[in-house]
Amino acid sequence: MRKIALAVFAMLAFCSVAVAQNFPSRPITIVVPFSAGGPSDAMCRILAERMKVALGEAILVENVTGAGGSIGVGRAVRSPPDGYTVSFGHLGTHVANGAIYKLGYDLLADLDPVVLLPSNTMVIVSKNAVPAKTLKEFLDWLKAKATPASAGTAGAGSGSHIAGLYFENLTGIKLQYVPYRGTGPAMNDLVAGQIDLILDQMSNSIQQVRAGNIRAYAVTDTKRVESASDIPTTDEAGLPGFHMTLWSGMWVPKGTPNDVIAKLNAAAVDALNDPAVRKQLENLGLQMPPNDKLTPQALGDWQKAEIAKWWPVIKAANVKVE
Ligand code: MLT
């Protein structure tokens, strides 16, 4: 009996090594929990285009949206731990949502970190019809409004929502949140003047700002964004201390073999260090993570630290979700 058990165990170990060695042997799916055309989707597609070269297999980007990105992450969590389904997400989906939704999965226990990805500075943008040219004038306009201004978000817990909560907390100005399945569709309505503002990711707003279709007031970082250096920082523009960057990352279902995670990580690091890819991402205003923070372990440690930092803040905001 002991001999049979040992034989089965050896066979299983051999199989998982064989599986890892042959990984990937079919297309990989990256689940983006927000709409196509938005900031998460755009970054993921740029990276996937380069990662498929290193992995030698096609990479499909699947947009599974809803509930601040928690539905798409759940889809990845419930997938086989074999490396063929990757969860793309950020501070909202892999930190904030754990303090807002009854997820049905655990962000730390049910997922393995793969790689930390570039981060987005947030930018305060409004429709062009707003009679304000500076952040001060914009804040005065918001304060003078009889009803709360409409702020587009990608749902409760999304980056644009967390930034909104932080903005309300700092300014005392109430916002009326208008949830979309991503800030891609929210941006269409902002350009059309259907909503008043978005606390948006720079990479989603930058082209519309450059085209003059929306107005930008300030970026939520201590330094200006190189590819949009005409936009002042919140410190410069009169909202000191409003600092927030939205970092992104990739995860796989818990139990995915380490060798497989290492291959996915190596392909992502390869892409992040590709000069053409970096240029594309930096042109969108994205900031590269330091190379020593690109290990799976580094993402795991960072996610834990961010959960410790943000959950008390978010729980205190008492966010209601249907
Ligand atoms: C998106 O891609 O739509 C965003 O990441 C949404 C958000 O978190 O604001």
Side-chain angles (χ1 to χ4, degrees), residues 34-35 38-41 90 154 158-160 181-184 201 246:
F34 297 108
S35 309
S40 299
D41 184 70
H90 56 41
S158 64
S160 41
R181 287 178 172 270
T183 45
Q201 293 171 64
L246 194 84

Side-chain angles (χ1 to χ4, degrees), residues 2 48 77 142 163 175 196 211 247:
R2 198 171 126 72
V77 165
L142 288 171
L175 298 173
D196 297 320
W247 52 272

Side-chain angles (χ1 to χ4, degrees), residues 54-119:
L55 291 163
E57 261 302 337
I59 297 182
L60 315 171
V61 175
E62 190 184 341
N63 302 87
V64 180
T65 65
S70 61
I71 292 175
V73 176
R75 154 90 167 73
V77 165
R78 288 185 297 278
S79 301
D82 56 12
Y84 288 100
T85 305
V86 175
S87 172
F88 184 103
H90 56 41
L91 167 65
T93 55
H94 288 71
V95 171
N97 283 352
I100 292 173
Y101 296 92
K102 290 195 179 52
L103 293 173
Y105 53 83
D106 182 295
L107 291 167
L108 293 175
D110 297 326
L111 288 160
D112 278 326
V114 174
V115 67
L116 178 64
L117 296 175
S119 57

